[in-house]
Amino acid sequence: MSPTEAVSSVMSGEAIERVVNDFSITVATVNGSGSQTSNATILRSLFKMGIPVSGKNLFPSNIQGLPTWYTIRVNKDGFLARRDEQEIVITLNPESFTRDIASVQPGGAFFYDESIRQPINRTDISVYPMPVKKLVVASGAPSNLRDYIANMVYVGVLAYMIGIDMEKILAALTFHFKGKQKPIDLNFGVVKMAFDWAQTNLTKSDPFWVEPMQEACDECIMTDGNTAAALGSLYGGIQFLAWYPITPATSLAEAVNEFIPQLRKDPVTGRTTTAVVQAEDELAAVGMVTGAGWAGLRSMTSTSGPGLSLMAEYVGLAYFAEVPIVIWDIQRVGPSTGLPTRTAQADLTFAAIMGHGDTQQVVLLPGSVTECFEFGWKAFDIAERLQTPVLILSDLDFGMNQWKTKKFQYPDAPMDRGKVLWETDLENLQGNWGRYRDIDGDGIPYRTVVGNRHPAAAYFTRGTGHNEDAKYSESPEVWERNMARLKKKMETARTMVPSPCIESTGQKIGFIAFGSTDSALHEARHILSTKYGLETDYMQIKAVPFSPEVKEFIAAHEKNFVVELNRDGQMFQLLSLDNPEYVLSLISLAHLDGMPLTAKWVVDAFLAKEK
């Protein structure tokens, strides 16, 4: 039985049929109250039961004390995109109480702190008061910790009411507190007390339950995209990171710092082999990264939209001087400061042509947390092979939210440093080489890096006009030749960037998406198939410039619906420019409200266009 069918049963007075592992739980608290620990405990407990889950945090961008919501999606079929519907809502916040109770689906369950004295005028839901303050006092927790430990009350109550395994909760707390027994005992003690209270005092009248599933959890992990990106970068051989704090990218750099002692320490000398610098601003950060990349280090920075705007001049320099660097952009809602704690895919066109004049950048578009890891190491190979900046566009939904994913795989190929000439190479060439000569016809020249002792290794790097030998030139012919070669290099990039993931059975209608919207697309296509009998094909784009398969997919379909999380249809624009002969088959489905995309929106928008 679906949640909707169960709702109908409850409202009609029929016997309640259990709804197992298919609903959403939303917890409403206040920013800075310490609820992240309790929410993560619920999420990880469900994950340890083998149930597909994802967790999404909706929090304010300004001050402590404002409302915050955390939603856990439980779905036995593995669909983990955000849903608009909320079957279980828990609130400890008087300020959001009215909104919270109104958000519960008919037939759902509403848990609240009984000290909140506000009217409850709904009769179509199950209502469960919780004596939060009484249980916290009874727990004996120190007075300075009671406001934080209070969140564990709803963990225990929910555990009893929907059937969360208490052993999994203990394991989740042990993981969270890294085995420190005192906080584990304190928190689990409150959970157990609340569990026992609910068992004695509450009678279940809603249909929602969880049950263990035979998932191969040993092969899965729970993590966020920023942690995945940091680990991928470390496994990709990052040597230099410069960054400046900005939401939602800060945790990426922090994760690199956290894992350096484990993953980037020389076993002989005991010294770390990755340097991290917190710069005074984003402009300084990308300047340092460009210098390090020129010197031959695998160098990287991480930022979000406003910081990326500041980096444009140096990125243009790196493009023209052909310096390999990697930039992670964890997208949020702009323009300007915008909505710093909301998600979007609205930096795409800016990133693709970042820099004034005729610039064209390589942009990677991970569509899962696993790909955040994978692209973390692949980006360095691509940047060095092409000798150009590589921008990776993740977003807040990936970067700061928890996702179930397969264990990461160690890079399956050795590092590719590209066309680097060393002393022996220059000796064989008898010093006859030019930094910007296209020897192989692919637009990619050869380079030397700092440390090469051959007398012919040196060249003068500049952001002004230069010829094939890196000598200053304002010759029109030389300029056109150089710019044509750079254009050719971007054509070569089409064969080096990750190819799209395509699911095709020869249908007339195709969907196209990228990034974090991928999860909503899979669910939307399932709904269209099972509910409306409509089969569709799908392409998840993973990079710009587009690989040849992108054009082939578009050409094979009468209609191509391009789904994305921005106002203006930026992927639609880029595809139209790249495929003018098929532009009439491209249809934009663009949406931006700051929230992760839902399958329902995709289905409704598609059906509206198809009427």
Side-chain angles (χ1 to χ4, degrees):
M1 176 180 281
S2 72
T4 303
E5 292 169 334
V7 165
S8 299
S9 296
V10 172
M11 295 179 68
S12 64
E14 300 174 14
I16 300 173
E17 186 168 345
R18 291 160 65 101
V19 175
V20 180
N21 298 346
D22 188 13
F23 50 87
S24 292
I25 305 165
T26 292
V27 180
T29 54
V30 296
N31 197 30
S33 66
S35 59
Q36 282 287 55
T37 301
S38 51
N39 297 334
T41 298
I42 296 170
L43 183 73
R44 192 164 289 279
S45 300
L46 295 170
F47 166 73
K48 288 180 175 292
M49 291 176 67
I51 305 168
V53 287
S54 64
K56 299 190 187 299
N57 192 20
L58 179 62
F59 60 101
S61 62
N62 38 24
I63 61 173
Q64 185 172 340
L66 291 180
T68 181
W69 293 268
Y70 189 87
T71 297
I72 296 171
R73 179 157 187 201
V74 180
N75 184 263
K76 62 183 183 300
D77 298 316
F79 296 126
L80 300 178
R82 185 179 72 88
R83 291 172 67 240
D84 292 313
E85 301 81 8
Q86 302 169 83
E87 286 79 18
I88 297 176
V89 175
I90 303 166
T91 185
L92 272 64
N93 184 9
E95 299 299 321
S96 64
F97 186 90
T98 301
R99 170 177 173 175
D100 295 334
I101 194 169
S103 70
V104 186
Q105 286 289 292
F110 182 66
F111 298 80
Y112 72 101
D113 182 349
E114 68 176 13
S115 67
I116 302 175
R117 306 295 184 182
Q118 296 192 29
I120 297 175
N121 52 17
R122 293 192 62 176
T123 59
D124 60 341
I125 61 175
S126 299
V127 178
Y128 305 110
M130 303 178 295
V132 176
K133 291 181 173 58
K134 293 177 184 177
L135 289 173
V136 170
V137 171
S139 73
S143 57
N144 64 321
L145 295 178
R146 287 178 184 174
D147 288 344
Y148 298 99
I149 211 76
N151 297 300
M152 286 297 159
V153 171
Y154 66 75
V155 177
V157 172
L158 186 68
Y160 172 73
M161 294 299 284
I162 69 172
I164 302 175
D165 188 333
M166 289 291 279
E167 290 186 5
K168 304 305 184 188
I169 288 178
L170 179 58
L173 287 169
T174 302
F175 175 87
H176 182 82
F177 290 109
K178 298 179 171 37
K180 296 174 183 176
Q181 204 59 46
K182 188 173 180 179
I184 294 170
D185 291 343
L186 176 61
N187 283 270
F188 189 67
V190 175
V191 173
K192 182 71 167 61
M193 182 179 295
F195 183 97
D196 294 341
W197 176 88
Q199 190 173 33
T200 303
N201 294 279
L202 295 181
T203 300
K204 187 174 178 68
S205 58
D206 67 85
F208 304 106
W209 295 89
V210 293
E211 292 178 357
M213 291 178 61
Q214 299 301 314
E215 282 269 314
C217 275
D218 289 342
E219 299 303 317
C220 297
I221 59 174
M222 286 291 300
T223 193
D224 60 83
N226 283 356
T227 300
L231 287 168
S233 302
L234 287 161
Y235 279 99
I238 181 175
Q239 295 167 294
F240 182 77
L241 169 70
W243 68 292
Y244 184 76
I246 185 171
T247 302
T250 294
S251 61
L252 197 163
E254 291 175 339
V256 171
N257 249 338
E258 179 184 351
F259 289 111
I260 281 175
Q262 298 170 247
L263 301 176
R264 299 293 292 168
K265 182 178 286 189
D266 189 297
V268 177
T269 65
R271 295 170 128 186
T272 57
T273 57
T274 298
V276 178
V277 177
Q278 182 175 327
E280 61 267 35
D281 54 37
E282 291 88 351
L283 185 61
V286 74
M288 295 177 192
V289 166
T290 302
W294 169 84
L297 301 183
R298 292 200 148 188
S299 62
M300 185 182 92
T301 187
S302 58
T303 191
S304 192
L308 193 68
S309 299
L310 290 174
M311 294 181 179
E313 184 176 358
Y314 265 114
V315 173
L317 170 64
Y319 168 82
F320 190 63
E322 300 181 64
V323 177
I325 61 173
V326 172
I327 301 172
W328 277 88
D329 173 25
I330 315 303
Q331 297 170 95
R332 67 192 211 188
V333 178
S336 187
T337 303
L339 300 174
T341 59
R342 301 291 186 267
T343 196
Q345 296 178 314
D347 293 346
L348 179 60
T349 51
F350 176 60
I353 57 172
M354 191 174 176
H356 64 277
D358 291 316
T359 55
Q360 188 178 358
Q361 307 295 352
V362 174
V363 181
L364 304 187
L365 304 166
S368 66
V369 168
T370 301
E371 287 183 354
C372 286
F373 173 83
E374 179 186 334
F375 291 3
W377 63 266
K378 283 187 175 179
F380 287 115
D381 285 356
I382 295 169
E384 292 205 296
R385 289 178 69 189
L386 289 168
Q387 298 173 36
T388 199
V390 170
L391 293 91
I392 311 174
L393 268 55
S394 178
D395 59 36
L396 184 145
D397 190 22
F398 274 159
M400 297 187 70
N401 288 328
Q402 293 288 316
W403 296 76
K404 171 179 174 270
T405 186
K406 293 181 180 178
K407 287 184 177 180
F408 301 143
Q409 298 297 313
Y410 192 86
D412 56 7
M415 294 181 193
D416 188 343
R417 303 303 306 272
K419 299 181 180 182
V420 180
L421 298 175
W422 295 102
E423 286 88 346
T424 302
D425 302 313
L426 290 173
E427 196 61 39
N428 292 336
L429 291 171
Q430 297 181 342
N432 181 25
W433 77 290
R435 171 65 183 94
Y436 298 111
R437 291 183 194 171
D438 182 7
I439 303 298
D440 304 317
D442 56 7
I444 306 170
Y446 287 78
R447 66 178 174 134
T448 58
V449 296
V450 172
N452 189 320
R453 297 174 179 270
H454 195 281
Y459 63 92
F460 194 91
T461 304
R462 65 182 85 239
T464 51
H466 48 262
N467 66 13
E468 288 80 355
D469 296 320
K471 295 179 179 179
Y472 182 77
S473 173
E474 294 187 10
S475 164
E477 294 79 14
V478 168
W479 180 264
E480 281 198 309
R481 212 163 49 231
N482 193 39
M483 293 300 290
R485 180 184 59 78
L486 289 171
K487 183 68 175 178
K488 182 189 293 184
K489 183 163 71 169
M490 286 298 125
E491 290 301 310
T492 300
R494 295 179 187 271
T495 66
M496 293 185 179
V497 297
S499 298
C501 180
I502 294 175
E503 299 176 20
S504 177
T505 56
Q507 305 302 318
K508 294 181 179 180
I509 293 175
F511 278 103
I512 300 173
F514 66 99
S516 62
T517 57
D518 178 70
S519 56
L521 261 295
H522 285 289
E523 185 175 2
R525 292 177 63 233
H526 174 76
I527 294 170
L528 288 171
S529 174
T530 56
K531 187 175 180 179
Y532 298 96
L534 180 61
E535 301 300 327
T536 61
D537 291 342
Y538 176 53
M539 175 171 62
Q540 175 212 341
I541 293 179
K542 298 187 180 185
V544 178
F546 305 117
S547 57
E549 296 91 338
V550 172
K551 185 182 289 290
E552 293 168 7
F553 180 91
I554 293 172
H557 295 87
E558 292 180 7
K559 294 181 179 180
N560 294 280
F561 290 85
V562 186
V563 182
E564 50 194 312
L565 206 57
N566 54 61
R567 185 192 68 183
D568 296 335
Q570 296 183 18
M571 178 61 77
F572 169 80
Q573 294 174 28
L574 293 179
L575 288 171
S576 298
L577 288 171
D578 204 62
N579 303 276
E581 67 273 41
Y582 301 115
V583 70
L584 293 179
S585 75
L586 296 169
I587 304 166
S588 178
L589 296 182
H591 177 62
L592 180 60
D593 61 0
M595 304 294 287
L597 200 66
T598 66
K600 182 180 183 301
W601 185 90
V602 176
V603 170
D604 290 348
F606 167 77
L607 293 176
K609 290 279 189 181
E610 279 293 272
K611 282 183 179 178

